[in-house]
Structures are given as structure tokens and as C-alpha cells.
Amino acid sequence: MKIVLALDSFKGTATAAQACAAVAEGIAAVAPTAEVVLVPMADGGEGTLDALSTAHGAAQHEVTVCGPDGRPVRARWLELKSTDSDRGAVAVVELAESSGITLMERLSPLEAHTVGLGEVMLAALDHGVEEMLIAVGGSASTDAGAGALEALGARFLDADGMVVDPGGRGLARIHDVDTRGLRRPPVRGATVLTDVTNPLCGPDGAAAVYGPQKGAEAADIEQLDAGLAHFASRTALAMAAWSGSEPVDPSAPGTGAAGGTGFGLATWGAQLRSGAAALADAAGVDDALVGADLVVVGEGRFDSQSAQGKVVSEVARRAGAAGVPTALIAGAIDAPTTDFTHAYALGDLAGSPQQAMADTAAWLRAAGAALATAYEETP
């Protein structure tokens, strides 16, 4: 019996790797001869590097960069070796490591920036990677990725030819874009990983929807939204001329990701893609499914949003295409589970959500044991 464990993190209580390991322990207690393959998963938010660190040929690098509030921070990026000898390494960069909101001593919605993200990307480019995946969840700023582009060599100038300070406040002052020193994307391209579909500006845009959680008040949101619109008007054509492609449409889905970083990196040439789908490719989910008898997916809460491009639905879709049945383990279940052969809510097993969260690993082991028992008893 081959069982593939492709769980997402249980936010705040277990990383994806910890969740997979705990379920594996529970399965082993009941079915010690089962072949259990661990494929920790993520959707492009915080924890992406940790989820992929167990992937084949993964090597971790660290670099000191400028954090979102100007203080230096140590940030990691992951190098994934390709199993194809004709392809070079893939870099996985996580915005939260260098420009994340958890790195702020205090929220600063108008000054926070993504310079550190660009510096990590630059380190990966200098290392010689041929492809780059950029997970953009957990952003501290609303600077349209201008800080990252600046670190990559672009210069944003005001009407007097002076370099504009990084951060959302300075976006409205940008008059010209100097792309002469801007580094090109890697030869096999760059991909922004996000499941956010917001446009850059407007009532559903980066500032209006995500600004408040970054400390922006009403006046700040108005200023940031205007700055994002101005940035788009000043940069879209300039970056298109540099890249030789069509101008990026700021109303396109995903351009509002990470305070508009989706837009900024798209003008650099990066593609916007579902994080779950791209990371399933990077983690080798399809290869793991070959010969599998069962796939186990999981997350902290399974609800109506889980079917909208999240890890659970992406892995289940691939399993269905491969003809492999799928089981679900979640902290709580608030949506129908008819598509799964078995479904376990840790809160039900433990007696309450609070008890499940108090020792998530133990209840993940219990769910793994229950699943293995049920599977072996299935005719």
C-alpha cells in the first residue's frame, strides 16, 4: 500500500512538514508495512520554503537584506535541483522572509517597502538559477513592488531627476523610470505565486482590501490607492518597452497581490499563477502519485474557499486525474466532503477545537491511525 501525504500547514499549530510527519506516524502505528510518501505543500504564502525544503535536491541559502522598515534581516531562499540534466536550478523566494509584515517592529503602511525581496531575488540571479518562483504572501507594504524592482536595478525618479524613496508614500512622486541597470529575469522565467485575484487599484484593489491589516487608515488608503494608480500609469509603458512585451493591465487578476507586488513583478516579466498549482509542480506531486493507492490532503479549516485554488483542491484534482482516491484531514470541516473517501476533523476527534489545537500533532497522529484502520477495513 502506497499512501501520499500532501498536507498544507495547520496555521499556528503545525507546519506542513510537521503535519505530514505526524499523520505518517499514525499510519505507521496501524500499517507499519505501508509505503508513506511525504510531500508537504503550500499555496504561496508564509511557510512555502519550509514546505518545499524536503523536496528532492533542495538546498537552502541565506542572505542579509534590507527589511521592510529599513532594518537588516536574514532571509532564506531555496534552490531546487532539477531532475532533468538539461535544466538548471529553480529558486524559490518567499516575500515573508525579507519583506513580511511579521518583520516590522511597528506597522508603517506608507513607508514599508519590498527592497529586501528584490535583494533576495538578486542573490538568486547571481547564483545562476534558471527559473524563479516568488511566493508573495504576508507582505508588510503597499509599494507595487517598486522596492523590489529598485533592488534589481531600476531607478524611479521624481520630476527633478532625484531617486524617489522606497515605500507607498513615494509612488505618487514618480515621474520617470530608468531601466538601464535593471536585471533580466532568469532564462526560464519567473513566476509570482498567489491565490489572490485582486486588481491593483480601486475598491477591490491592494490598498482598499489589504491596507487596513497593514496599519492603513482611511486617508492612508486613499493616498496609497492614488499612488498605485500613478505608479501604473508611469511604469507600465516604460517597463513594456524594456521587456519588449505588452504593457501589464493593472486591472488584471492578481496584480494587487502583496500590496501590488504582483503588478510590479509582472511588469518585470514574471507570470502570475496559482500558488498551489505551481508549488504542486515544484514539489513533484504528480510523480508521487504514480502507483499510489491513496492521497491524504489537509489544512486547518476545510470550508467553501478550499475549493477555490487552495492546496486541498489542487492536490485532489490531480489525484482524481490520476485515478487515485483522496482522503481529508482538517482541523475543522465546514463544507461537504462527498468527494473524499474518508474525512476527519481534529476538533471532532479531540472533543473540541480548543483541545485539538492544544496538541495538534497528537490528533494528527490519531487521524492518521484512524485513516489507516478504516482503509484496511475497506473491502
Side-chain angles (χ1 to χ4, degrees):
M1 179 169 63
K2 177 182 177 181
I3 302 175
V4 176
L5 304 182
L7 287 78
D8 196 355
S9 63
F10 285 58
K11 295 290 193 297
T13 58
T15 66
Q18 291 170 339
C20 287
V23 173
E25 291 173 7
I27 292 173
V30 174
T33 62
E35 176 189 359
V36 181
V37 179
L38 278 60
V39 189
M41 282 293 298
D43 62 6
E46 293 177 71
T48 295
L49 295 190
D50 291 333
L52 291 182
S53 63
T54 58
H56 172 77
Q60 186 170 284
H61 302 269
E62 280 196 6
V63 60
T64 299
V65 299
C66 180
D69 58 4
R71 294 177 302 118
V73 298
R74 291 290 288 174
R76 302 173 296 160
W77 65 274
L78 203 64
E79 179 186 3
L80 301 181
K81 304 292 187 181
S82 174
T83 55
D84 185 343
S85 59
D86 293 330
R87 297 184 65 172
V90 177
V92 184
V93 178
E94 184 176 321
L95 179 150
E97 288 273 321
S98 57
S99 305
I101 194 168
T102 60
L103 301 174
M104 301 285 289
E105 281 191 335
R106 61 180 181 81
L107 297 179
S108 184
L110 297 174
E111 284 78 27
H113 56 71
T114 55
V115 170
L117 170 63
E119 290 177 336
V120 177
M121 293 167 61
L122 187 62
L125 290 172
D126 287 342
H127 192 76
V129 300
E130 292 191 357
E131 186 177 353
M132 188 178 296
L133 304 178
I134 309 157
V136 295
S139 167
S141 63
T142 309
D143 76 340
L149 294 175
E150 179 185 332
L152 289 168
R155 297 172 73 235
F156 297 99
L157 310 174
D158 64 17
D160 296 322
M162 302 298 292
V163 175
V164 174
D165 291 335
R169 187 191 299 277
L171 296 179
R173 295 178 51 231
I174 294 174
H175 188 269
D176 294 305
V177 184
D178 182 353
T179 58
R180 289 174 294 179
L182 182 59
R183 289 286 293 271
R184 298 283 176 180
V187 293
R188 299 187 69 87
T191 303
V192 175
L193 310 180
T194 178
D195 287 319
V196 169
T197 59
N198 303 77
L200 180 65
C201 310
D204 297 320
V209 177
Y210 301 107
Q213 68 191 41
K214 301 174 185 182
E217 298 181 354
D220 301 326
I221 292 170
E222 184 176 351
Q223 181 176 349
L224 288 169
D225 191 59
L228 292 171
H230 178 79
F231 179 82
S233 69
R234 288 293 180 178
T235 61
L237 290 176
M239 293 295 289
W242 171 81
S243 65
S245 60
E246 292 295 318
V248 176
D249 182 357
S251 67
T255 52
T261 299
F263 175 82
L265 295 184
T267 68
W268 183 61
Q271 301 297 310
L272 303 181
R273 189 182 176 195
S274 162
L279 291 172
D281 288 342
V285 168
D286 292 335
D287 290 339
L289 290 173
V290 177
D293 299 292
L294 181 69
V295 177
V296 183
V297 296
E299 60 184 349
R301 177 177 293 277
F302 178 76
D303 55 26
S304 59
Q305 295 185 16
S306 300
Q308 300 174 10
K310 300 298 184 182
V311 167
V312 166
S313 62
E314 178 63 26
V315 176
R317 182 188 65 78
R318 293 175 183 237
V324 181
T326 306
L328 169 70
I329 297 174
I333 296 176
D334 293 323
T337 58
T338 52
D339 292 335
F340 301 100
T341 58
H342 302 84
Y344 299 91
L346 302 189
D348 293 341
L349 293 175
S352 71
Q354 293 75 21
Q355 287 179 287
M357 293 178 68
D359 195 348
T360 301
W363 293 107
L364 284 166
R365 288 192 291 270
L371 176 61
T373 300
Y375 188 82
E376 289 196 329
E377 292 176 349
T378 301

